[in-house]
């Protein structure tokens, strides 16, 4: 039987609550927590730790999906990138500026669209939007 994991989108209002919910559903049996990172989320979906011990088939049910998409949409993403620009020693300011320009032109991805893309790149994960 296919494993089911449900993300309770009613608990998600920002990046911190997003990763809190991801940790609650995927990392409950681990002694450590996933950091607030898109790369870490991608690594999680490859399996090997947390709820995904293997590269097993999973139905990822995401409730309150459209509301979360809006909450982590354009405004959030713009603020996310602008915050990174405040720390140019740790982030590629030129690359981030290009992402901001694309976002403002309507061509860039929002944070939530990046999450969707990451999930779609894992053939074993079937995203069910509710």
């Amino acid at each position: 039987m296919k494993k089911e994991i449900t993300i309770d989108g009613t608990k998600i209002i920002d990046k911190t609550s997003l990763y809190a919910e991801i940790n609650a559903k995927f990392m409950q049996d681990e002694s450590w927590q996933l950091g607030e990172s898109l790369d870490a989320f991608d690594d999680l979906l490859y399996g090997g730790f947390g709820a995904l011990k293997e590269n097993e088939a999973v139905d990822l049910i995401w409730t309150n999906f459209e509301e979360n998409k809006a909450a982590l949409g354009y405004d959030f993403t713009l603020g996310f990138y602008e915050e990174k620009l405040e720390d140019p020693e740790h982030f590629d300011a030129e690359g981030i500026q290009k992402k901001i320009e694309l976002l403002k032109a309507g061509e860039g991805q929002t944070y939530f669209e990046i999450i969707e893309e990451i999930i779609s790149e894992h053939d074993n994960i079937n995203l069910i939007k509710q």
Side-chain angles (χ1 to χ4, degrees):
M1 184 170 151
K2 191 183 251 188
K3 180 181 272 191
E4 286 186 2
I5 298 173
T6 300
I7 298 290
D8 182 356
T10 63
K11 295 181 178 180
I12 299 170
I13 58 169
D14 57 15
K15 185 172 73 159
T16 298
S17 59
L18 167 68
Y19 286 96
E21 179 63 6
I22 289 170
N23 278 310
K25 299 303 168 74
F26 285 91
M27 300 297 288
Q28 67 273 18
D29 294 330
E30 297 291 340
S31 62
W32 56 282
Q33 297 288 286
L34 201 66
E36 294 183 11
S37 159
L38 292 167
D39 289 335
F41 179 65
D42 188 33
D43 290 345
L44 170 72
L45 297 182
Y46 280 106
F49 59 90
L52 303 177
K53 297 292 184 194
E54 301 171 12
N55 192 20
E56 59 200 307
V58 175
D59 280 337
L60 179 59
I61 302 163
W62 195 310
T63 66
N64 212 46
F65 186 86
E66 290 301 323
E67 290 84 353
N68 294 161
K69 188 172 188 169
L72 299 172
Y74 177 88
D75 291 336
F76 170 83
T77 306
L78 185 58
F80 172 75
Y81 287 140
E82 288 173 342
E83 185 177 308
K84 288 183 176 288
L85 286 178
E86 294 173 10
D87 190 9
E89 291 182 20
H90 291 102
F91 299 104
D92 173 15
E94 185 177 322
I96 292 168
Q97 190 60 50
K98 286 180 183 177
K99 289 181 181 186
I100 289 172
E101 290 168 13
L102 286 171
L103 188 66
K104 287 182 176 181
E107 299 171 9
Q109 289 181 301
T110 66
Y111 195 89
F112 200 84
E113 289 169 337
I114 296 168
I115 290 170
E116 284 184 275
E117 181 178 71
I118 289 169
I119 294 169
S120 74
E121 292 173 350
H122 294 271
D123 294 335
N124 61 312
I125 308 289
N126 175 40
L127 178 60
I128 301 170
K129 305 169 186 178
Q130 294 184 345

